């Protein structure tokens, strides 16, 4: 059985494409007074982009804070604020920001039409009703959230996505100009989400020609951006991210993402940073990829932030191991069907100790 | 202004994916007795594939002949046959075959819900109502018809597509096993549609990072298939075709396609063959591409069919030139805004004379 892969049905790509968002949304406003909800990363509150959001007088702008990874509780809270804004569903939800802001927009869109808490839907194909029309506008490139069928959330007891055919955006606006203002570190960590994803999927056992082609091109573009640079880097990185997201169709990530999930859930470390912290120590499993990653870091003068686990953090360590071990397909993709013999709790602990030393 | 590109929202890729078509269609049958129309290339009437079509007792199988390029008259005739089959629209139209069969399925799907003749809709965004749910199942790879927003038809006075956001398939089933039985010549000519498309778009002036990335990967896959070969060739060629179709978003073809349209419309030469006949003589414009094309021909022992224009064919010549000259964006993409100074009627005539000598 092959997955029947749901793609984003409308894609607009180009420098300045953000200026067309108003026209795109106009076609989706059901009444002249139809409401749109813009869910925007609050780093933009005092930036030029804030003045360019095509919000009408009845629209709602929700500034979201993503200093921490998005939680199901935050999704529930944002959904409640949209409901308070007026009766009936809005005509659309537009997420503007990095992977976290886009994931929040996807999740709010779904929770406006599905009862209960976002935590009830963490898993696969639990969503029962289509969400509100939702649009993704990435301002960081690398997560692939603009193309994926998941929205990754930290819930009360797990970090897991709401995976469904209703999750992908109905429209994405890929404007490379929007990513040019990102801080260098953040740009790097987010871009590495794509690069590491490609290393893991292309060396894994779950792969076919469709996903391989997307993954190979995404990796080539990442190399181009982070080892050569050049005037088209923002454009290429944006395509790399979209291709990385598309390659998920028939591939899987691996050891690095599994460990990174534990770091995020237990220590609150952002996904892109968590990936880099883990990948830094995975030369044993991905020798070529890690060596190239180190060259990219050196070229961009990146220093990884240090995180330490105190000696008293034995309980946190056990929880991180639990979170990582849940992700069975990732381990199997990386290490084969006998992965449990290789990747014992002790081995994972040893890796986490190195990462957090 | 950038095009808001409509993609195919559901893609399934894999060897044997055709076996999942029945399950996919089951979800779209509105009543247990809902009717599906299978529009299938008649080369398969006595092939194994014919026995695998998941048609129920109330479904209609229309065997279509595509010895000649699809015409608007043929679309009208097929649409009438579907209407005669029963009251109301069918639940779906499924095109199984190469680019011509898939284009017929797209066009019939649209004409079941839009009044008049298919000829009325040749052009851009003339379709007013969404078509019937339609599915594409390619059995040849290279045309990109599975991914494109057009269905190319020969009408009473032009060869031109029905281009609209309603044209793309709602679902495609990409099963590399289906292309393995194609005759070697046909496989080559169809594959070259993709390769030549890439040469034209990547050397043209209409391009951005999105289309360039798709085009470059499609070209790399074509090289891999036609210069190296190997066990995954069918899989790679199928991805190349899909990527070629996706690359159309922000790119354009060029001289070869413009000339090929004239050959098809006036002399009835099939699109893939027409491309190869024209490209063979375009070394002046695409030196690297044509040299590589010749290496691919040599490796596969391909001889191009010869077509001649009799001395009395002056009227046909003038019509071919007319048809080719209509395609202004193609010429501008290839030769720049001053293309009319370079590509005179005399120059096009000289090229056609070489092609048809």
């Amino acid at each position: 059985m092959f997955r029947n892969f749901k793609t984003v049905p409308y894609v607009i790509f180009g420098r300045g494409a953000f200026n067309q968002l108003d026209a795109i949304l106009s076609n989706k406003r059901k009444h002249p007074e139809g409401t749109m909800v813009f869910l925007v990363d609050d780093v933009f509150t005092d930036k030029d982009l804030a003045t360019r959001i095509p919000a009408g007088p009845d629209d709602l702008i929700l500034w979201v804070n993503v200093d921490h990874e998005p939680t199901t509780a935050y999704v529930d809270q944002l959904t409640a604020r949209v409901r308070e804004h007026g009766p009936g569903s809005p005509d659309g939800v537009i997420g503007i920001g990095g992977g976290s802001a886009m994931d929040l927009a996807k999740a709010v869109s779904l929770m406006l039409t599905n009862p209960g808490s976002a935590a009830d839907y963490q898993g696969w194909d639990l969503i029962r009703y289509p969400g509100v029309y939702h649009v993704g506008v990435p301002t960081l490139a690398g997560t692939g959230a603009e193309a994926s069928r998941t929205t990754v959330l930290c819930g009360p007891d797990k970090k897991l996505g709401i995976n469904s055919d209703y999750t992908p955006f109905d429209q994405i606006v890929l404007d490379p100009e929007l990513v040019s203002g990102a801080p260098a570190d953040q740009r790097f960590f987010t871009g590495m989400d794509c690069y590491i994803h490609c290393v893991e999927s292309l060396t894994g056992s779950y792969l076919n020609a469709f996903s391989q082609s997307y993954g190979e091109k995404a990796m080539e573009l990442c190399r181009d951006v982070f080892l050569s640079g050049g005037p088209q880097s923002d454009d290429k990185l944006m395509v790399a991210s979209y291709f990385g997201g598309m390659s998920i169709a028939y591939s899987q990530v691996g050891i690095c993402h599994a460990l990174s999930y534990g770091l995020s859930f237990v220590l609150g470390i952002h996904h892109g940073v968590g990936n880099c912290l883990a990948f830094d120590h995975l030369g044993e499993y991905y020798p070529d990829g890690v060596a190239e990653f180190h060259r990219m870091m050196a070229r961009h003068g990146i220093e990884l932030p240090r995180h330490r686990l105190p000696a008293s953090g034995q309980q946190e360590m056990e929880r991180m191991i639990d979170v990582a071990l849940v992700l069975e397909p990732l381990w199997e993709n990386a290490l084969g069907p006998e992965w449990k013999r290789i990747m014992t709790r002790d081995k994972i602990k040893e890796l986490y100790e190195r990462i957090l030393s």
Side-chain angles (χ1 to χ4, degrees), chain A residues 14 17 32 36-37 40 73 75-76 88 132 135 152 157 161 171 178 183 204 209 244 317:
Chain A
M36 290 286 169
V37 175
V40 193
V75 171
D76 293 345
V132 166
V135 179
V152 186
D157 52 11
Q171 165 84 58
L178 300 186
M317 175 62 84

Side-chain angles (χ1 to χ4, degrees), chain A residues 151-209:
Chain A
T151 158
V152 186
L153 300 171
C154 289
D157 52 11
K158 54 183 178 277
K159 177 177 176 180
L160 186 62
I162 299 178
N163 298 270
S164 84
D165 279 358
Y166 301 123
T167 308
F169 287 114
D170 297 299
Q171 165 84 58
I172 53 176
V173 177
L174 305 179
D175 182 347
E177 284 181 0
L178 300 186
V179 307
S180 65
D185 273 28
Q186 203 172 14
R187 175 191 163 90
F188 184 85
F189 296 139
T190 312
M192 285 305 106
D193 191 3
C194 180
Y195 175 77
I196 293 169
H197 173 119
C198 293
V199 171
E200 291 182 300
S201 61
L202 293 172
T203 57
S205 56
Y206 296 3
L207 198 64
N208 68 13

Side-chain angles (χ1 to χ4, degrees), chain A residues 56-209:
Chain A
D58 297 324
D59 292 345
L60 176 65
I61 299 184
L62 289 178
W63 298 101
V64 296
N65 186 281
V66 292
D67 290 344
H68 300 283
E69 296 255 288
T71 62
T72 54
Y74 195 31
V75 171
D76 293 345
Q77 185 192 322
L78 290 166
T79 306
R81 283 177 62 191
V82 175
R83 290 212 175 99
E84 282 160 19
H85 181 66
S89 276
D91 288 342
V93 176
I94 302 98
I96 303 176
S100 297
M102 286 192 285
D103 275 2
L104 284 169
K106 289 186 194 178
V108 168
S109 153
L110 295 171
M111 294 315 300
L112 283 166
T113 54
N114 287 273
S117 161
D120 304 336
Y121 299 97
Q122 285 181 286
W124 283 268
D125 301 308
L126 302 173
I127 291 285
R128 287 162 59 199
Y129 306 106
V132 166
Y133 170 77
H134 49 306
V135 179
V137 185
T139 62
L140 279 170
T143 68
E146 65 277 21
S148 77
R149 79 188 284 280
T150 192
T151 158
V152 186
L153 300 171
C154 289
D157 52 11
K158 54 183 178 277
K159 177 177 176 180
L160 186 62
I162 299 178
N163 298 270
S164 84
D165 279 358
Y166 301 123
T167 308
F169 287 114
D170 297 299
Q171 165 84 58
I172 53 176
V173 177
L174 305 179
D175 182 347
E177 284 181 0
L178 300 186
V179 307
S180 65
D185 273 28
Q186 203 172 14
R187 175 191 163 90
F188 184 85
F189 296 139
T190 312
M192 285 305 106
D193 191 3
C194 180
Y195 175 77
I196 293 169
H197 173 119
C198 293
V199 171
E200 291 182 300
S201 61
L202 293 172
T203 57
S205 56
Y206 296 3
L207 198 64
N208 68 13

Side-chain angles (χ1 to χ4, degrees), chain A residues 112-304:
Chain A
L112 283 166
T113 54
N114 287 273
S117 161
D120 304 336
Y121 299 97
Q122 285 181 286
W124 283 268
D125 301 308
L126 302 173
I127 291 285
R128 287 162 59 199
Y129 306 106
V132 166
Y133 170 77
H134 49 306
V135 179
V137 185
T139 62
L140 279 170
T143 68
E146 65 277 21
S148 77
R149 79 188 284 280
T150 192
T151 158
V152 186
L153 300 171
C154 289
D157 52 11
K158 54 183 178 277
K159 177 177 176 180
L160 186 62
I162 299 178
N163 298 270
S164 84
D165 279 358
Y166 301 123
T167 308
F169 287 114
D170 297 299
Q171 165 84 58
I172 53 176
V173 177
L174 305 179
D175 182 347
E177 284 181 0
L178 300 186
V179 307
S180 65
D185 273 28
Q186 203 172 14
R187 175 191 163 90
F188 184 85
F189 296 139
T190 312
M192 285 305 106
D193 191 3
C194 180
Y195 175 77
I196 293 169
H197 173 119
C198 293
V199 171
E200 291 182 300
S201 61
L202 293 172
T203 57
S205 56
Y206 296 3
L207 198 64
N208 68 13
F210 184 89
S211 285
Q212 186 176 351
S213 300
Y214 271 114
E216 284 173 353
K217 191 66 193 178
M219 179 171 253
E220 188 188 312
L221 289 163
C222 285
R223 283 185 180 135
D224 214 355
V225 169
F226 290 107
L227 292 174
S228 308
Q232 284 247 307
S233 279
D234 290 333
D235 307 63
K236 288 176 181 171
L237 192 53
M238 196 147 243
V239 176
S241 179
Y242 173 76
F243 274 38
M246 291 291 286
S247 80
I248 290 171
Y250 305 103
S251 70
Q252 188 48 275
V253 285
I255 300 174
C256 181
H257 271 73
L259 295 174
S260 174
Y261 265 49
L263 294 171
S264 290
F265 188 75
V266 178
L267 303 180
I269 297 171
H270 243 279
H271 180 65
V273 176
N275 279 345
C276 288
L277 289 174
F279 201 57
D280 192 33
H281 293 279
L282 292 176
E284 182 184 345
Y285 303 97
Y286 305 110
D288 299 342
V290 173
E292 192 163 64
F293 168 69
H294 287 149
R295 287 200 295 281
M296 291 175 176
M297 275 180 58
R299 193 185 150 91
H300 291 266
I302 299 292
E303 282 202 36
L304 297 177

